[in-house]
Amino acid sequence: MSLQSEMPIPQTTVKQDRDIHSPPHSNPAAGEAAVKVTADIVQTNRQPRSSKRWWADLLWASIIPVVVVVLWQWAGGAGWISPEFMPTPWVILKSLIHLIASGDLAYQIGVSLQRTLLGFAIGGLLGLVFGCFTGMFRKAEYLLDPSIQVLRLVPHLAIAPLIILWFGFGETSKIAIIISGSFFPMYINTYAGIRQVDGKWFEVGRVLEFKPYQRFTRLIVPGALPSILLGVRLSLAVSWISLVVAELVGSTAGIGFMINEAKQNSDTPVIFVGILIFAIVGKLIDSLVRLLERRWLHWRDSYRG
Amino acid sequence: MAETLLNITALSKSFDTAKGRVEALHKVDLNIREGEFITVIGPSGCGKSTLLRIIAGLDGQYSGTITLAGQNITGPGIDKGFIFQEHRLFPWLTVEKNIAADLSLRDPEVRRKVDELIELVKLGGFEKAYPKELSGGMAQRVAIARALLRNPRVLLLDEPFGALDAFTRAHMQDVLLDIWRRNQTTMIFVTHDIDEAVFLANRVVILKPRPGQIKNIVPIDLPYPRKKTTSSFQELRLRVLKLLDSLDELELTDGAGI
C-alpha cells in the first residue's frame, strides 16, 4: 500500500486548480475528489484477507504434515516400523475415535484445561500486577526486579519436586507448578512493554494535561498492549507445558494421566492421541490469543510479509 | 495595536553537557501581541526549539521571566498548544478520538467541536481512519486539530512541516493560514525554511547561534494571501537570507563547527 505516495497527487491538483488570489481551498470539488480517492484506498486497506488467499495459505501450511502422515502410514503398512513403538496414523485415529465416543477424552481434556486456566489466571495475573509495578515505579523495580530475574533463571520444572514435597500430589501442587511457569513470561513482557512505551507520548500527555490515571489508561495500557498480549501467549504456552509435567508426575485425571496410564498398559496409540491432543489444544489456545491480537492491535502498522 | 500576549524578558538557558556548560539562549527579549503570527528561524543550534519548549513549559530551569497573558508559565498545558515535528498521534485511536484524546466524544459539545475542527483541517471522511492510514500532511493536520480543540491562547509549532514534501508543505501552509485567519490564534512557528518563514509571518525572528540570541526581527508587511513569486516577497526573502548568511560568516571566523 502506498498511501503516502498517493497523497501529493490530489494535493497538487488542488493547487493547480485554484485561482491564486482566492483564499485557500476555494475549489471544494478538487478537495473532495482527493478525499474520495484516499477514502477508497483506506477502504481496501482495511479489508481482511480474502477467503481465497486463506485457503491458499492453509494448503501451503498443510504440505509438510500431509507428506509426513502419508509416509508414516505407508512405512507402517509395509511393516518397516513396529506397531508397538510406532502405531500407524490409521490405528491412532481409530483409538482417537474410540476415546471420543466413550466421552473419556472430553472429560480428560476438561480436567486438563481447567487446571491450565486456573494456574494461568493466578500466575498471569500476578505477573501482570508485578510487571505493572516494576514497569511504572523505579523504587519497585530496584526492590523486586533483581530477585525476580534470579528466580526466572531457575528452570521452573526443576522446582517441581520441591513443590510436590510441600503440597503433596494433590491438585494444589499441580496448580502451583503451572503458576510458577506462567508468572515469568507475563511479568517480563508487561515490564518490558511498559518500559518501551515511547517517551514522546508522555510529552503529549503533559501538553494535553492528562491526569496520572489517564497517563496509565490512555498511554501506558495501549502502548504496552502488544507486549502484554505477547506475554499472555507465551505464558499460556508455558502453562500448557507445565501441565504435562504436573500431570505426568502423578494424577488421577487429565491428558497427562491418560498418557501415563497408557504407558503402563502398553497402549501406544493412546499415548499418541494424548500427544496429539496436547498439540491441538495448545495450538487452539494460541490461535485464540492471536485472534485477540488481531482485534485489539489492528492499528499497528507492522510488516505482514 | 493589539495587546501583548506573551512577554519574554532576559531569557537565558544553559545545558550541562559532557563538554561543559553550553548556553543555548542568552538574554532573549521578545514581545508577542495577541493574534500575531511569528516565525522563528536560524541555523541549527541557535536554540529555536529550546525557546519554543520553554514557552510551552516543557523545559524549565531558565533565568529571566516569561509570561503568557500576564501569568508566569509554570508548566505545559492546554493553553499552550504544541505541534511537534512528528505528528505524535496515538496510533491506537481513530482520527476523531485522537482529536478528542482525554475528552469524551459522547459529550455533545465535544462532538460538535471535533466535527467543526475536522471540517476546518479538511479531513472530512477520515473521522474513523487510523494514523497508519494517513499521509504525513493529514496526520499533522489531525495534530493541529487536537491542539485547537482546547482553545489555546497560543499555538507553538516546532518545524511541523519539516518532514513533508514540497507540495504537501505548501498546501499545509495554506491550511495553517486559513486556520489562523478564521480562529485568530496567536502562532509561534519555528522553521529552518526561509520561504516558509516569510510566507507565514507578521514578523520573522532571526536567531543567531552560540549562544542563541535574537539577531534581527524582520517585519513582513505583505498582505495575505501572499504569493511567493512577487518581487516584494522576493525582496523580503532576500533580506532574511542575507541576514542568515552573515551568521554563517560569523560562524566561520569563530571557527565553530555545526
Side-chain angles (χ1 to χ4, degrees):
Chain A
M1 277 315 306
S2 57
L3 192 58
Q4 244 80 10
S5 62
E6 300 280 347
M7 276 318 292
I9 302 164
Q11 278 165 357
T12 47
T13 2
V14 175
K15 264 205 98 48
Q16 282 160 359
D17 285 352
R18 191 198 313 143
D19 176 27
I20 287 157
H21 293 290
S22 66
H25 308 289
S26 61
N27 191 339
E32 255 177 48
V35 166
K36 270 196 191 117
V37 167
T38 340
D40 287 345
I41 295 164
V42 171
Q43 280 306 311
T44 47
N45 199 12
R46 273 196 199 154
Q47 261 169 25
R49 283 194 302 182
S50 67
S51 61
K52 203 173 159 190
R53 169 90 190 272
W54 190 83
W55 283 109
D57 283 354
L58 187 69
L59 199 70
W60 189 243
S62 49
I63 291 174
I64 291 176
V66 167
V67 167
V68 167
V69 167
V70 167
L71 282 179
W72 181 359
Q73 178 69 39
W74 174 68
W80 291 353
I81 42 181
S82 148
E84 269 78 50
F85 290 112
M86 207 59 183
T88 61
W90 179 243
V91 175
I92 295 169
L93 185 69
K94 276 200 289 194
S95 169
L96 173 68
I97 291 167
H98 173 75
L99 280 167
I100 292 172
S102 68
D104 199 24
L105 192 65
Y107 169 71
Q108 310 290 14
I109 290 177
V111 169
S112 289
L113 266 182
Q114 211 180 341
R115 279 178 188 146
T116 311
L117 293 181
L118 184 62
F120 164 73
I122 298 171
L125 195 70
L126 283 174
L128 186 72
V129 169
F130 275 81
C132 279
F133 268 103
T134 52
M136 291 198 310
F137 306 110
R138 276 290 166 80
K139 283 247 167 71
E141 183 195 0
Y142 295 150
L143 179 71
L144 297 168
D145 193 60
S147 307
I148 295 177
Q149 293 296 347
V150 167
L151 287 177
R152 182 177 72 92
L153 294 172
V154 179
H156 76 280
L157 299 180
I159 59 164
L162 199 59
I163 289 175
I164 290 164
L165 184 72
W166 290 340
F167 300 109
F169 281 100
E171 207 62 10
T172 318
S173 67
K174 288 176 188 58
I175 303 296
I177 289 171
I178 297 170
I179 291 172
S180 71
S182 61
F183 172 81
F184 294 101
M186 198 64 210
Y187 168 78
I188 299 279
N189 284 286
T190 305
Y191 165 72
I194 290 174
R195 282 303 164 92
Q196 75 195 15
V197 174
D198 200 330
K200 287 172 171 180
W201 285 326
F202 288 92
E203 233 171 40
V204 176
R206 286 174 69 199
V207 172
L208 296 180
E209 292 184 17
F210 279 9
K211 291 168 187 69
Y213 80 90
Q214 287 174 322
R215 268 207 304 271
F216 180 70
T217 56
R218 292 181 180 276
L219 301 177
I220 293 175
V221 170
L225 193 61
S227 187
I228 291 174
L229 281 183
L230 178 68
V232 170
R233 256 179 89 186
L234 295 175
S235 180
L236 269 170
V238 174
S239 299
W240 196 232
I241 291 167
S242 310
L243 172 84
V244 183
V245 177
E247 288 186 346
L248 285 179
V249 165
S251 58
T252 50
I255 301 294
F257 161 76
M258 195 180 85
I259 291 178
N260 226 2
E261 201 188 36
K263 188 196 81 187
Q264 271 149 24
N265 300 340
S266 298
D267 194 355
T268 328
V270 174
I271 297 180
F272 275 89
V273 169
I275 293 168
L276 201 65
I277 293 301
F278 273 128
I280 291 171
V281 176
K283 173 67 187 159
L284 282 179
I285 292 173
D286 194 57
S287 300
L288 198 75
V289 183
R290 287 183 72 167
L291 198 75
L292 287 181
E293 278 186 354
R294 224 169 286 158
R295 176 155 301 182
W296 289 343
L297 303 179
H298 61 96
W299 47 266
R300 276 197 302 183
D301 191 13
S302 37
Y303 180 65
R304 290 207 197 127
Chain B
M1 190 68 24
E3 264 177 76
T4 295
L5 176 72
L6 190 78
N7 183 283
I8 300 169
T9 312
L11 176 68
S12 299
K13 163 95 184 165
S14 345
F15 292 105
D16 285 319
T17 67
K19 286 179 189 163
R21 214 166 169 77
V22 175
E23 199 165 27
L25 291 170
H26 180 74
K27 294 203 168 146
V28 171
D29 294 303
L30 187 62
N31 250 311
I32 295 170
R33 292 183 294 273
E34 184 106 52
E36 241 189 324
F37 202 132
I38 299 287
T39 53
V40 181
I41 194 166
S44 50
C46 70
K48 51 190 193 292
S49 285
T50 307
L51 175 65
L52 206 65
R53 290 178 61 88
I54 290 173
I55 297 171
L58 286 169
D59 283 359
Q61 291 184 318
Y62 53 84
S63 68
T65 59
I66 171 161
T67 59
L68 179 72
Q71 302 283 310
N72 278 322
I73 288 171
T74 51
I78 53 176
D79 55 339
K80 303 173 287 288
F82 202 96
I83 308 297
F84 297 91
Q85 192 164 4
E86 336 83 68
H87 56 71
R88 298 206 191 176
L89 299 179
F90 304 122
W92 50 83
L93 296 180
T94 59
V95 164
E96 56 182 17
K97 285 186 179 160
N98 256 297
I99 297 173
D102 58 323
L103 307 173
S104 169
L105 282 167
R106 267 168 294 196
D107 178 343
E109 183 62 15
V110 173
R111 177 81 252 177
R112 189 182 58 76
K113 280 169 80 180
V114 167
D115 288 343
E116 265 176 33
L117 281 165
I118 285 174
E119 213 49 50
L120 183 69
V121 298
K122 304 189 163 42
L123 280 168
F126 285 95
E127 293 86 350
K128 304 267 190 283
Y130 283 88
K132 68 168 180 179
E133 296 163 326
L134 305 176
S135 69
M138 294 161 89
Q140 203 56 292
R141 280 179 297 184
V142 178
I144 291 172
R146 178 169 70 183
L148 288 177
L149 178 67
R150 284 138 182 101
N151 293 320
R153 294 300 301 265
V154 58
L155 194 59
L156 308 163
L157 303 104
D158 188 9
E159 302 190 30
F161 310 148
L164 306 178
D165 64 272
F167 290 114
T168 313
R169 176 185 277 236
H171 176 67
M172 290 295 290
Q173 290 164 2
D174 286 340
V175 172
L176 189 64
L177 281 177
D178 191 36
I179 290 168
W180 179 57
R181 188 172 56 81
R182 291 188 202 206
N183 287 18
Q184 295 176 342
T185 311
T186 310
M187 305 267 185
I188 306 177
F189 189 111
V190 165
T191 180
H192 55 247
D193 180 330
I194 299 169
D195 274 352
E196 188 166 70
V198 177
F199 184 72
L200 294 172
N202 297 126
R203 289 192 290 161
V204 176
V205 175
I206 300 174
L207 288 186
K208 81 172 201 54
R210 272 169 292 270
Q213 268 178 315
I214 294 183
K215 177 165 166 48
N216 288 91
I217 298 179
V218 182
I220 310 289
D221 291 324
L222 300 173
Y224 297 92
R226 290 170 179 168
K227 220 177 134 185
K228 287 173 188 161
T229 46
T230 58
S231 57
S232 47
F233 183 92
Q234 288 301 324
E235 247 169 60
L236 281 161
R237 181 187 181 280
L238 205 62
R239 211 180 129 198
V240 173
L241 182 61
K242 276 179 181 158
L243 286 165
L244 281 168
D245 255 3
S246 65
L247 294 181
D248 270 355
E249 281 159 30
L250 211 94
E251 233 167 82
L252 282 175
T253 50
D254 277 352
I258 299 282

